[in-house]
Amino acid sequence: MTAPFTHEHEFETQDLMINMGPQHPSTHGVFRMVLQIDGEVVRDVIPYIGYMHRGGEKLAETMDFRQGIGWMDRTEYLAQHNAELSYVMAVEALAELEVPERAQWIRMILCELNRLSSHFMFTGAFGTDAGVFGTAFVYSFREREVILDLFEEISGDRLMYAYFRPGGLAWDVPANFERRVAEVLKSTKQGIKDMDGLLTENEIFRARTVDVGTISAADAIDWGCTGPVLRASGVPLDLRRTEPYLYYDQVDFDVVTGTNGDVYDRFVVRVEEMRQSVRIIEQCMERLRPGPFLPDRLPRMLRTPPGEIYLRTEAPRGEYGIYMVSRGGNRPYRLKIRSSCFANLQALRDMTIGSYVADAVVILGSLDIVLCEVDR
Amino acid sequence: MRGLLKSMGVTLSVFARKPVTRQYPETHRPLPERDRAFPLLLWDENLDEPFCTGCHACERACPVECMTVLMKDNPAHRSQGGTSTRRKIIDKFWIDYGRCMRCNICVEVCNFDAIGMNNTWQGHEQSVYDRADLIQDLPQLLAEHKAGDVKPWIAP
Ligand code: SF4
Ligand code: SF4
């Protein structure tokens, strides 16, 4: 811990250390930070993580490739399809599996829908952090629920889908899939409009967020930030564009960037990204054709040849990477998850120092962390 | 000020929409066919015995090892003078619902379509006062399908 910071005053003052979390409604999970404050101004932040550590990487090494998928859901519980995708794509690359076209398109649709549901969660929770208590939260949850209902109809579960498989999908989507996606998109578009109208121009919201928690592009890159946090600083890095996977090279979408790198930009980037996701899904739906959802020849127990791979995809919170070492056999020898939230959280100290105590919550909220992913 | 009014406009416009909430314990949302609650065993009505042969495939494939399977010779098999075609049958079966992560793998690996995921609200509402009560034994696992209360969806 750093030595108490003293200030030039007529009388001597001492900085106050206050503890925030782990049980705090605004820490988005179990996260603790110790704030060193001088009056209202934050002088230093010491974050403590690890409360949610479940040894996930090691645990996944004891599970075969199908069992591990269920585990991936639990590391990233707001973007489960994206997390599963990284994992199954790593296995596919190691085992050199061909994935049928239909499975790829469905994966893309589900991942983008998952991005929507995750960003809805963000806008709601962030609105609450910024003082729009309740309204934004319940509105965004209403929209998120529509998407989760669709996921439940497809995979059977509201949160822990375990729906992707190495080689394709566990089973085909229901017959009314196209109609249901159209319905969901309709309500989602309305939802995006609502969130936009509710917050983007709201003066109170802007007063709380503009020029708060600013981070420059160079700093964001140095800290290893990815996803909307990096793009809000003006760096157009989107893995869907820079190293396309699935069929992202065949669809049209814009990489959304901000200019200031402040909390407000991070919010606006995400709202705009939601519109882009809707665009991607609409294009995917046009390209979706009937066909198989698993390769013709798939062994009962998948084994991979020895090798190693690092595979990354663009999850809603940034780069979600899987480093997998195989020594042959039906389970990874070593699995490492590159967590986007963990890297983004590193920048918290830089962003928070010098701001007000009340803004610390807003800055943390703007990073959109999932503590299960940070600690794994 | 304009932005504030716009926000108020959004809030007001919601008054005109239909409510989406339900009074949960009284009204239940209809569940989709594929809904996955907890696994349960299926009952073969034609032969009046469980489908399960106790082959241990699901037990081995379960990621959290929450199942215990014991098999026995089927007393109703043809060679014993009965009518059943199952030489082996399930003797004892436990699933610890407190550990199960509802991943559907047991359903996928079963060669006899003997296990399925409960897709009713009874399957979800499993609160008990003691964790040990979440360990379900064979009669409990079979009861619901035997009574015809559930029709699990098994992926083709
Ligand atoms: S449920 Fe199926 S897989 Fe499990 S022991 Fe019975 S027959 Fe075998
Ligand atoms: S659903 Fe998964 S965790 Fe539950 S008993 Fe079946 S295999 Fe085990």
Side-chain angles (χ1 to χ4, degrees), chain A residues 132 180-182 184 191 251 312 317:
Chain A
V132 193
R180 286 288 291 128
V181 171
V184 167
V251 293
R312 52 189 191 167
R317 268 160 284 279

Side-chain angles (χ1 to χ4, degrees), chain A residues 7-312:
Chain A
H7 216 34
E8 287 302 319
H9 281 292
E10 296 150 38
F11 45 87
E12 196 163 296
T13 60
Q14 213 177 18
D15 283 355
L16 184 68
M17 310 291 284
I18 57 167
N19 185 46
M20 199 181 134
Q23 280 87 21
H24 188 285
S26 306
T27 53
H28 298 258
V30 202
F31 172 69
R32 180 158 81 99
M33 49 186 180
V34 176
L35 302 169
Q36 182 182 339
I37 54 170
D38 175 13
E40 280 280 310
V41 181
V42 177
R43 294 284 172 210
D44 199 4
V45 185
I46 308 159
Y48 290 88
I49 58 169
Y51 291 95
M52 304 273 256
H53 181 66
R54 296 158 296 174
E57 292 172 359
K58 275 288 160 229
L59 209 55
E61 286 161 21
T62 66
M63 297 179 180
D64 70 35
F65 293 124
R66 178 164 55 183
Q67 295 171 337
I69 296 166
W71 177 254
M72 289 304 123
D73 292 334
R74 282 155 179 83
T75 60
E76 167 59 302
Y77 57 77
L78 291 181
Q80 305 88 334
H81 280 313
N82 292 279
E84 283 173 30
L85 181 73
S86 295
Y87 183 79
V88 295
M89 276 172 55
V91 178
E92 280 156 10
L94 276 177
E96 289 168 8
L97 282 177
E98 270 307 316
V99 186
E101 204 167 307
R102 179 177 170 82
Q104 297 280 48
W105 285 113
I106 293 175
R107 280 179 181 185
M108 229 166 118
I109 294 167
L110 293 181
C111 284
E112 289 307 317
L113 280 170
N114 217 165
R115 191 182 311 276
L116 283 168
S117 77
S118 169
H119 281 354
F120 269 129
M121 176 85 191
F122 163 78
T123 45
F126 182 58
T128 307
D129 289 341
V132 193
F133 187 75
T135 318
F137 194 67
V138 288
Y139 283 11
S140 65
F141 260 64
R142 180 189 65 203
E143 303 307 331
R144 179 171 173 262
E145 205 62 23
V146 177
I147 302 175
L148 294 193
D149 279 352
L150 174 65
F151 287 160
E152 188 181 20
E153 280 163 39
I154 295 167
S155 68
D157 209 305
R158 274 166 44 82
L159 284 176
M160 303 302 163
Y161 311 122
Y163 180 58
F164 294 173
R165 292 285 183 276
L169 307 168
W171 45 79
D172 207 351
V173 290
N176 63 356
F177 180 64
E178 301 195 5
R179 185 173 56 79
R180 286 288 291 128
V181 171
E183 279 172 21
V184 167
L185 284 189
K186 191 160 158 259
S187 91
T188 302
K189 278 183 204 160
Q190 179 64 38
I192 298 171
K193 223 161 89 193
D194 280 355
M195 295 316 288
D196 201 13
L198 200 60
L199 295 176
T200 311
E201 281 173 40
N202 189 322
E203 278 86 2
I204 302 175
F205 180 74
R206 287 187 62 121
R208 286 297 307 275
T209 52
V210 174
D211 285 334
V212 169
T214 312
I215 189 162
S216 69
D219 281 348
I221 293 172
D222 284 353
W223 281 115
C225 296
T226 44
V229 177
L230 179 64
R231 288 195 286 275
S233 297
V235 184
L237 179 85
D238 188 326
L239 296 176
R240 294 175 292 174
R241 174 61 55 80
T242 50
E243 35 189 273
Y245 51 97
L246 297 181
Y247 294 137
Y248 278 112
D249 47 350
Q250 298 180 29
V251 293
D252 228 17
F253 67 99
D254 301 332
V255 175
V256 190
T257 52
T259 44
N260 280 340
D262 58 5
V263 169
Y264 181 70
D265 273 9
R266 274 171 232 144
F267 171 80
V268 174
V269 163
R270 285 192 176 98
V271 171
E272 194 49 43
E273 245 176 45
M274 283 156 75
R275 295 212 177 87
Q276 300 302 327
S277 285
V278 171
R279 251 178 89 190
I280 296 177
I281 297 167
E282 279 170 346
Q283 293 172 50
C284 292
M285 290 310 290
E286 281 166 20
R287 308 283 293 271
L288 190 64
R289 299 275 174 278
F293 56 90
L294 273 178
D296 301 333
R297 291 196 5 254
L298 200 65
R300 275 184 82 84
M301 179 60 85
L302 187 68
R303 287 167 203 282
T304 54
E308 60 182 288
I309 187 156
Y310 177 69
L311 198 139
R312 52 189 191 167

Side-chain angles (χ1 to χ4, degrees), chain B residues 93-148:
Chain B
F93 203 122
W94 291 276
I95 301 181
D96 184 352
Y97 279 2
R99 286 190 67 141
C100 172
M101 65 183 212
R102 307 182 294 131
C103 62
N104 205 49
I105 287 180
C106 47
V107 182
E108 272 168 51
V109 296
C110 182
N111 295 315
F112 305 94
D113 284 356
I115 191 165
M117 298 302 259
N118 196 337
N119 53 4
T120 62
W121 275 103
Q122 287 96 299
H124 282 288
E125 293 165 345
Q126 294 273 3
S127 45
V128 290
Y129 283 107
D130 186 351
R131 252 184 235 180
D133 295 343
L134 286 171
I135 302 174
Q136 307 277 310
D137 59 11
L138 185 62
Q140 285 172 311
L141 288 168
L142 283 167
E144 265 178 273
H145 191 252
K146 200 173 171 181

Side-chain angles (χ1 to χ4, degrees), chain B residues 4 14 31 43 121 138:
Chain B
L4 268 183
V14 175
L31 288 176
W43 185 259
W121 275 103
L138 185 62

